[in-house]
Amino acid sequence: MRRHDPERDAARYLGGGLSPEVAAAFSSHLLHCPDCAREVDTARQGRALAESLRGVPPVALRERVRALVEAESASAPEPPVRWRHRWSVPVAVSVAASVAVALVVVTGGSGTTEPPSLREAVADFRAAELPGAQLPRAGAPDLSALQLQPTGAGGGTYAGLEVDGYAYRDPAGRRVVVYLSDAPFPEAPGARRLAGEDGPWIAQRQDVVVLCARVPHALLVVGEDDALVRETAGELGVL
Amino acid sequence: MQSPDPAPRPEHRGDAARAVRREVDVDDRGFLDAFAEHLDRVHNLARGLTGSRQDAEDLVQETCLLALRGWRREPPRDPAAWFATICLNAARSSYRRSAARPVEVLADEWLHALPDDGDTADHALASLDVDRVHRALAQLPAVQREAITLMDLGGYSASQTAAIVGSPRGTVLARVHRGRKALAGVLVATDGGGW
């Protein structure tokens, strides 16, 4: 080795790239060089601590990855088609009986009881959780026009209501989650209607905005940024 | 107030899931198998590069999507290194976007507070607090954190790590060595009752 430099020499020794002869010589050197021995011992302690952080991914993450790939794969053959077109048939059929569109603002005012499904959706959004680890029934809505990239998808239930959730982030890191269901989401008390007597409604729950519509799709859009939530709803064709 | 319709869906969710599975492209199935094989490693990288379990899971999923799109263009020759590169780049983009890069002031403090000769690796592990070590890792300079994450959590060699981060091997060894010493310094703070 070149000039004695305990830090450099210990780093090379632990890096495993030394020839057997050089490594053996350095091992002997450690017996009577406290500085080098200390460098090696300390770095080994740090390595043991770092290696102790290794873990196994949660089963739910493994399922979400699988769902993500399968959803992407299912939607890949028709890239130019916008989400609202791909979804218009199955979703519109499922809610054919519902003609009115409702958009409400959940104000969370005193004396009102928020429906459990909405409360769970908001709580999951805050916790960055999805409704469950089941496969969504279709690919993620295409929100690329808003520069929203999908970050996760999963299906489950909220208070007995079967829901598929699709999480997104924009380049600024703002999160939006779109929840889809075959059945309409319950209407929240104190919500602010945006259009029509039974039109879509929007709600502010502290730092979270919830926008709800029933037609052409039964959905919730939940996010932290009011404008982004509205833009998302617009992109999905409910505003 | 309207209540959700409790009636079961005409189509069982399991049927829908199977229908989706049938639509998975053969190439995407190859990708899914490869990604699943390396998921442990990608997840460990993500845990080392982010500040929380949820952020790590988001990063894994972002890595998966980015990798899938790249895979469709041309599958890589070395998927393990390729997934790591994508994960690292996505993490860098993420903390640039969020401006959440950890502060770096504590690392030097730890370097000046190395354990005494009497401290041993057994002593280190006996007092291990995983959350504390995670916080310590998060506060290392980014280049040290990345090097440690790739080598000690991801299990990549120094040469592989050098290729992934685009730095000379000697530079990577110096970074990982200093980062490990800084992590070991956490124990000093722990023993002293601080931090």
Side-chain angles (χ1 to χ4, degrees), chain B residues 1 4 18 38 45-46 49 78 81 96 99 107 117 119 124 135-136 143 157 172:
Chain B
M1 178 186 297
R18 281 188 288 276
H38 296 285
L45 293 184
L49 296 170
D78 181 356
R96 273 198 296 269
D117 291 342
D119 289 324
R135 287 199 300 273
V143 292
S157 69
V172 167

Side-chain angles (χ1 to χ4, degrees), chain B residues 5 11 34 36-37 39 43 45 50 52 55-56 61 69 90 95-96 106 132 148 156 170 185:
Chain B
D5 183 358
E11 180 186 41
E37 180 184 344
L39 182 59
H43 179 252
L45 293 184
T50 60
S52 71
D55 286 347
Q61 292 177 87
R69 289 162 190 166
Y95 51 65
R96 273 198 296 269
L106 291 181
R132 190 176 303 247
I148 284 185
Y156 293 91

Side-chain angles (χ1 to χ4, degrees), chain A residues 39 54 64 73 134 171, chain B residues 9 13 25 57 97 152 177:
Chain A
E39 285 284 339
R54 290 181 180 178
R64 283 203 294 276
S73 187
Q134 298 181 59
Chain B
R9 288 171 169 168
R13 179 178 291 274
D25 183 85
E57 293 185 13
R97 282 198 302 268
D152 294 341
H177 185 78

